[in-house]
Amino acid sequence: MSGELTGVCDERIYEGIFREHAPGLFRFLSYKTGNESRARDLMQDSFAKLWEKCADVLPEKAKSFLFTLANNAFLNEVKHDKVRLNYAQSSGFSGLDQESPEYQIRYDEYREQLENAINALPDGQREVFLLNRIEKHTYLEIAEMLDVSVKAIEKRMHKALLKLKDILNPLD
């Protein structure tokens, strides 16, 4: 059985998977992102993760694994973009001209702060925060998706919000 599981770890098999699936994965991501550079980055990240997990992925499952990874990475970027936009809109930018240098500087600073704050959250807290605040899932829906109790979701969200507040508003 372990011989089967190491199949993708064989460089020749991995290279074959890359040659076979990279063009389709790139087209898929280009379509989703509308940006070839972003698509290329997501594709490369997906193949890097395939290599990291090569012992766990059977060659016949590699395509599905790659497309799932790529799609999830894309969705995570979209969620981050939505959070940044929502934060920028709620952070007092409405009085500034969006074309002014001051606006752009402040917007970039807030965007970076928010991205860093979200990235600083532990995985479970970040996941719950994004699913609830961006995807608008209820705590019950998230609990069912993650196979944990609603109380666990409430606790993760509470901790995520406290940590974000501490990072973004340290004087409050």
Side-chain angles (χ1 to χ4, degrees):
M1 181 166 175
S2 64
E4 289 179 34
L5 293 178
T6 59
V8 175
C9 293
D10 181 301
E11 284 187 43
R12 288 173 291 150
I13 292 174
Y14 180 83
E15 288 173 14
I17 290 169
F18 181 85
R19 279 193 304 280
E20 183 177 350
H21 300 299
L25 187 60
F26 178 73
R27 283 190 304 274
F28 170 75
L29 289 167
S30 292
Y31 171 76
K32 289 188 85 71
T33 64
N35 180 312
E36 286 188 1
S37 176
R38 192 171 171 194
R40 191 171 291 108
D41 289 345
L42 289 170
M43 180 188 75
Q44 289 173 350
D45 289 347
S46 297
F47 274 99
K49 287 179 183 169
L50 173 63
W51 183 252
E52 290 171 9
K53 301 281 187 184
C54 66
D56 300 328
V57 181
L58 297 171
E60 59 270 16
K61 301 289 185 184
K63 179 180 180 183
S64 174
F65 182 81
L66 285 166
F67 277 78
T68 300
L69 280 175
N71 191 54
N72 288 344
F74 168 74
L75 293 174
N76 285 337
E77 282 191 2
V78 169
K79 289 176 192 175
H80 283 280
D81 290 346
K82 286 181 184 178
V83 169
R84 284 188 286 247
L85 179 61
N86 288 342
Y87 182 73
Q89 290 172 344
S90 68
S91 297
F93 288 108
S94 56
L96 292 174
D97 176 14
Q98 292 186 7
E99 299 299 318
S100 75
E102 181 186 359
Y103 172 87
Q104 194 59 48
I105 290 168
R106 287 183 61 198
Y107 177 81
D108 290 344
E109 288 172 355
Y110 278 116
R111 190 181 73 220
E112 186 176 343
Q113 285 177 334
L114 179 61
E115 185 174 316
N116 290 339
I118 291 170
N119 288 336
L121 292 173
D123 289 342
Q125 291 176 21
R126 182 174 54 247
E127 181 177 32
V128 168
F129 176 81
L130 293 171
L131 285 170
N132 179 255
R133 296 301 167 107
I134 304 305
E135 295 296 314
K136 306 295 185 203
H137 290 289
T138 66
Y139 287 177
L140 178 60
E141 291 170 334
I142 298 168
E144 289 172 355
M145 288 171 21
L146 301 179
D147 198 27
V148 296
S149 70
V150 173
K151 202 67 167 165
I153 298 303
E154 291 171 355
K155 186 174 182 177
R156 288 181 191 178
M157 179 59 92
H158 178 72
K159 286 183 174 183
L161 292 173
L162 287 176
K163 185 162 186 158
L164 288 173
K165 181 180 177 194
D166 287 345
I167 294 170
L168 296 171
N169 300 310
L171 301 177
D172 286 350

